[in-house]
Amino acid sequence: MDIKFLAIVFAFVLSGCSHQIQINPDMKEFTTSDQKIDKTVGYFIAKDDISKSVTTPGGGGDSVTYQPYKDTETVLYTVLMNKFSDVYKVDSLEDNNFIEKNNIRYIFIPKLVTNSSSGSAFTWPPTKFMISLTCQAIKSEGEVVWEKSIDVEGDAEFDEFKSDFSLAARRATEKAFIKLAQELDNQPIFTK
């Protein structure tokens, strides 16, 4: 074998590579609230955030790449729709005509910080996935009326994730948004 070829292969193996995963959760746990509020709300995710890709560590020197806001937009919408009578995506916080026309009372703004790790030197999927979700609710005028920070971790072992390489990430996302739904259930401010 050619020595240059072996050197290139060796360098590639040492440098690791990045694998695409999705962090969207299993949606079966997200059910309509017993106390649905008769108000219209919106959510805002900046265009840069929707298209943002994040790379965090996996196992074996590799990494994983995913789109946290794109992957979680559906679950955010579902959590809000299960709690309020109607939900709109707000493309711009300055679009007062859209906000007023649709009688949007509160706009929810999520911020996600993620990380991952693995104790495995031989498999690339992460065995741990961490999410810090901070969600603000603002009134249509821009005043922050509610904010909650949620930190969770999802775990998965090889026997579990061999059929779903995103399992630790999906579990973390599910935990974070279930906690967000629970926090919304406990906030009387939205019924005023």
Side-chain angles (χ1 to χ4, degrees):
M1 272 200 166
D2 186 293
I3 299 238
K4 286 182 184 178
F5 175 75
L6 287 175
I8 291 169
V9 168
F10 185 68
F12 178 75
V13 168
L14 284 180
S15 67
C17 57
S18 186
H19 302 270
Q20 190 73 35
I21 64 169
Q22 291 186 317
I23 69 168
N24 53 312
D26 184 343
M27 298 295 288
K28 68 182 177 198
E29 297 298 322
F30 296 91
T31 57
T32 301
S33 172
D34 292 336
Q35 302 166 355
K36 201 162 184 176
I37 298 169
D38 188 23
K39 284 194 171 76
T40 300
V41 300
Y43 68 91
F44 171 75
I45 303 172
K47 287 181 182 174
D48 288 347
D49 285 338
I50 282 288
S51 61
K52 182 192 303 184
S53 285
V54 173
T55 301
T56 55
D62 287 4
S63 57
V64 290
T65 300
Y66 46 92
Q67 294 179 286
Y69 291 95
K70 182 179 180 185
D71 287 353
T72 60
E73 182 177 8
T74 299
V75 71
L76 175 64
Y77 172 84
T78 300
V79 165
L80 295 174
M81 196 65 210
N82 287 344
K83 180 67 179 171
F84 298 96
S85 59
D86 210 355
V87 179
Y88 288 92
K89 180 176 183 177
V90 176
D91 290 327
S92 169
L93 295 175
E94 280 75 48
D95 191 349
N96 293 325
N97 288 337
F98 178 82
I99 294 166
E100 289 172 16
K101 175 183 155 189
N102 292 294
N103 196 28
I104 296 172
R105 298 287 299 277
Y106 301 102
I107 301 169
F108 290 84
I109 306 169
K111 289 293 172 196
L112 292 163
V113 177
T114 57
N115 204 351
S116 59
S117 65
S118 176
S120 173
F122 303 106
T123 57
W124 64 262
T127 55
K128 290 192 182 304
F129 196 92
M130 292 71 70
I131 293 181
S132 291
L133 167 63
T134 301
C135 191
Q136 284 186 338
I138 64 172
K139 284 189 175 179
S140 55
E141 311 84 47
E143 175 194 358
V144 176
V145 294
W146 180 80
E147 182 172 337
K148 185 66 184 174
S149 292
I150 297 164
D151 296 312
V152 298
E153 185 176 287
D155 299 298
E157 297 304 323
F158 176 74
D159 287 344
E160 298 176 293
F161 68 59
K162 59 186 173 187
S163 63
D164 181 1
F165 299 134
S166 305
L167 186 58
R170 292 184 200 280
R171 285 178 171 168
T173 305
E174 182 176 325
K175 283 184 188 177
F177 283 89
I178 284 174
K179 284 191 175 187
L180 177 62
Q182 291 166 346
E183 290 294 335
L184 290 173
D185 275 341
N186 297 325
Q187 292 303 317
I189 188 170
F190 300 119
T191 60
K192 295 178 183 177

